[in-house]
């Protein structure tokens, strides 16, 4: 966006694009100092848009820069993997799955034992079907009248799959809000809800 002929994002983009200038990606010793960890933390938490596509893009760029330094590559892959796995931001599980499929499963995590590697792979396979943007797996459950209802057979442009419990405190607060939003906005837009209790 331009304000008075000046790109309002220029300073941010310049800083982000030059953040790693002068950093020696050939010096494995840097992982034994607080410098690299702090820079990774600042970069991914303050400069990279907290969206899986942005994290994957920037992670790939960093891993490519570190590829000729075994210890720096190892630490970078470990750091980004755990950053994505531990993130409280919705969608970061896609980063974890991507890293496992494109680095760990391709033999680039050479420091892991076969057993450790298998844990990463199993976890990625477990969460991959539920990554945002993927089609949900089939759910076929009885409704309140005992008639089987298939998620895949619901005819809607968008379907909200809602897992809830009648004795859940958060559910008691949030489900009525979802119901109100559905009645006020979503229903007329063709959204349907598949609720699982």
């Amino acid at each position: 966006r331009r304000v008075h002929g000046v790109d309002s994002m220029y300073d941010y983009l310049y800083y982000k694009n030059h953040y790693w200038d002068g950093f020696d990606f050939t010096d494995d010793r840097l992982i034994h100092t607080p410098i690299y960890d702090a820079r990774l933390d600042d970069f991914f938490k303050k400069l990279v848009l907290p969206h899986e596509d942005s994290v994957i893009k920037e992670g790939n760029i960093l891993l490519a820069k570190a590829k000729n330094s075994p210890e720096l590559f190892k630490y970078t892959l470990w750091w980004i993997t755990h950053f994505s796995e531990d993130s409280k931001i919705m969608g970061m599980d896609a980063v974890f799955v991507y890293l496992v499929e494109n680095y760990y499963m391709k033999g680039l995590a050479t420091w892991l034992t076969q057993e450790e590697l298998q844990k990463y792979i199993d976890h990625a396979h477990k969460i991959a079907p539920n990554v945002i943007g993927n089609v949900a797996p089939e759910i076929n459950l009885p409704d309140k009248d005992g008639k089987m209802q298939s998620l895949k057979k619901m005819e809607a442009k968008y379907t909200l799959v809602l897992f809830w419990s009648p004795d859940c405190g958060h559910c008691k607060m949030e489900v009525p809000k979802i119901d109100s939003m559905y009645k006020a906005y979503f229903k007329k837009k063709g959204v349907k809800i598949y609720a699982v209790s």
Side-chain angles (χ1 to χ4, degrees), residues 35-181:
I35 295 168
Y36 189 48
D37 189 69
R39 290 197 63 160
L40 285 168
D41 200 63
D42 281 348
F43 185 67
F44 281 99
K45 291 181 181 175
K46 296 178 182 174
L47 295 176
V48 176
L49 183 69
H51 187 273
E52 63 269 17
D53 290 345
S54 298
V55 175
I56 288 169
K57 176 188 172 198
E58 298 298 338
N60 282 337
I61 291 169
L62 279 180
L63 288 163
K65 288 179 180 185
K67 72 179 178 187
N68 293 323
S69 299
E71 292 302 311
L72 203 58
F73 177 84
K74 172 184 175 180
Y75 187 81
T76 305
L77 182 57
W78 172 86
W79 195 97
I80 300 168
T81 302
H82 288 279
F83 169 75
S84 64
E85 187 177 27
D86 296 338
S87 178
K88 302 295 182 218
I89 297 171
M90 188 179 293
M92 286 299 132
D93 48 353
V95 178
F96 177 82
V97 171
Y98 174 86
L99 292 171
V100 170
E101 290 177 347
N102 290 278
Y103 290 93
Y104 292 82
M105 291 173 66
K106 292 189 177 176
L108 298 174
T110 56
W111 57 91
L112 294 176
T113 66
Q114 190 58 41
E115 183 179 318
E116 292 167 330
L117 177 62
Q118 195 59 50
K119 286 180 183 177
Y120 280 95
I121 294 169
D122 291 346
H123 185 56
H125 285 161
K126 181 179 175 184
I127 65 175
N130 297 319
V131 168
I132 292 175
N134 285 354
V135 175
E138 171 65 306
I139 301 173
N140 196 15
L141 296 171
D143 63 16
K144 62 183 180 178
D145 299 321
K147 182 180 176 195
M148 296 303 284
Q149 298 293 329
S150 166
L151 174 62
K152 297 225 183 235
K153 290 183 181 174
M154 287 188 77
E155 293 182 17
K157 184 172 182 179
Y158 298 101
T159 304
L160 171 64
V161 181
L162 175 63
F163 293 92
W164 69 285
S165 174
D167 57 350
C168 164
H170 293 293
C171 299
K172 288 177 185 176
M173 291 182 347
E174 298 303 323
V175 170
K177 293 177 188 175
I178 292 170
D179 185 56
S180 296
M181 287 177 21

Side-chain angles (χ1 to χ4, degrees), residues 1-8:
R1 190 175 131 219
R2 290 192 159 313
V3 178
H4 305 293
V6 177
D7 184 351
S8 63

